[in-house]
Amino acid sequence: SITERMRIDSSGKIGIGTTTIGNKLQVHEASSNASFVGFSNDTTGSSSSDGLIVGVDSDENGVLYHYENKAIRFATNNSERMRIDSGGRLLLGTTSYKSNLNASADSSGQIAQFIHAGDNINGCLSVFAYSGSTVPSTRGAKLQLHRARSSDGSTNTTLSTDDLIGSIEFKGNDGTSFTAAARIDVSVDGGTGTDDMPGRLVFLTSADGSGAPTERMRIDSAGRVGIQGTPTSS
């Protein structure tokens, strides 16, 4: 028996797997709510070796991925601007992940890199806030670093004393790799509880001849300041 596979309606719209065509080209999987279109230079016809896949999954989420563990590249004006590499890392301004970071924790663990061949005016990262005139006017632009003790990416697990919450690290190139010159750490500074997260701020710099920052100053949860030593109640 003959089964309809595709139609072109009177307005020129094309439907594959559907007779109700709302867009210029509409593809629908009859067995589910998922719809996908594949683009590939493979001539074997194997779906497992298809290239770029675009579509909507059964939960109506937009989907864009590559079967063969390749990068997905985004370009404007015939030039690449951004890519998601085969490891799922976001790269902007570069075509390859930079691993010369002089620290095993950084060499493959960065989830995004932004590269610009220019000065800090032409290659900066900005966050803007247009917050209105709310009183008190404390709703400016904000950068937040979050941490929980869980490792699944979703579970709320409380931190404990001395747990590191976040760091800002400054690295300079030594001719071979990027080496740490200074760092700012924020850690838990006491017992935690609901709406209770005591913190301390630690400033570290690398001495001449070293690429490992050491503590120079800290501000503890009580507001006491210690320079090259832990602050005391006195």
Side-chain angles (χ1 to χ4, degrees):
S1 61
I2 297 176
T3 303
E4 180 178 337
R5 306 300 185 185
M6 183 182 76
R7 72 166 54 188
I8 304 173
D9 69 11
S10 59
S11 65
K13 295 177 182 178
I14 301 174
I16 300 175
T18 180
T19 59
T20 304
I21 310 172
N23 303 296
K24 288 293 185 181
L25 173 62
Q26 188 156 334
V27 181
H28 182 70
E29 292 287 345
S31 59
S32 70
N33 293 325
S35 300
F36 297 100
V37 178
F39 302 89
S40 175
N41 61 1
D42 177 68
T43 58
T44 65
S46 172
S47 61
S48 62
S49 61
D50 282 343
L52 185 67
I53 307 298
V54 183
V56 179
D57 66 16
S58 58
D59 293 322
E60 299 184 354
N61 298 305
V63 177
L64 173 67
Y65 63 92
H66 200 290
Y67 258 123
E68 291 190 325
N69 201 29
K70 303 291 185 180
I72 297 176
R73 302 164 57 188
F74 301 84
T76 62
N77 197 27
N78 205 33
S79 296
E80 180 176 333
R81 308 300 184 184
M82 183 178 73
R83 72 167 54 190
I84 302 172
D85 72 7
S86 59
R89 298 171 297 211
L90 176 65
L91 306 178
L92 192 149
T94 181
T95 59
S96 59
Y97 179 82
K98 296 185 179 300
S99 58
N100 60 331
L101 299 171
N102 203 16
S104 59
D106 294 337
S107 61
S108 61
Q110 294 187 343
I111 60 175
Q113 291 184 345
F114 302 88
I115 312 298
H116 190 276
D119 56 31
N120 64 344
I121 295 176
N122 296 314
C124 64
L125 179 64
S126 300
V127 179
F128 296 85
Y130 295 86
S131 307
S133 56
T134 303
V135 179
S137 185
T138 57
R139 297 180 181 175
K142 182 184 292 186
L143 176 64
Q144 294 185 338
L145 304 179
H146 304 265
R147 187 197 167 184
R149 269 209 164 197
S150 57
S151 58
D152 61 3
S154 61
T155 304
N156 292 317
T157 306
T158 187
L159 298 183
S160 298
T161 302
D162 296 328
D163 278 351
L164 177 66
I165 296 176
S167 295
I168 301 175
E169 193 166 36
F170 304 85
K171 289 189 170 185
N173 196 280
D174 60 11
T176 302
S177 59
F178 288 90
T179 301
R183 194 174 76 235
I184 302 172
D185 290 348
V186 173
S187 299
V188 180
D189 200 42
T192 64
T194 302
D195 294 328
D196 179 17
M197 189 63 57
R200 67 173 176 266
L201 191 61
V202 179
F203 298 85
L204 309 92
T205 63
S206 294
D208 188 16
S210 171
T214 56
E215 181 177 336
R216 308 303 185 184
M217 184 179 78
R218 72 168 54 191
I219 304 172
D220 69 10
S221 58
R224 297 172 298 195
V225 179
I227 298 177
Q228 292 190 333
T230 302
T232 64
S233 57
S234 59

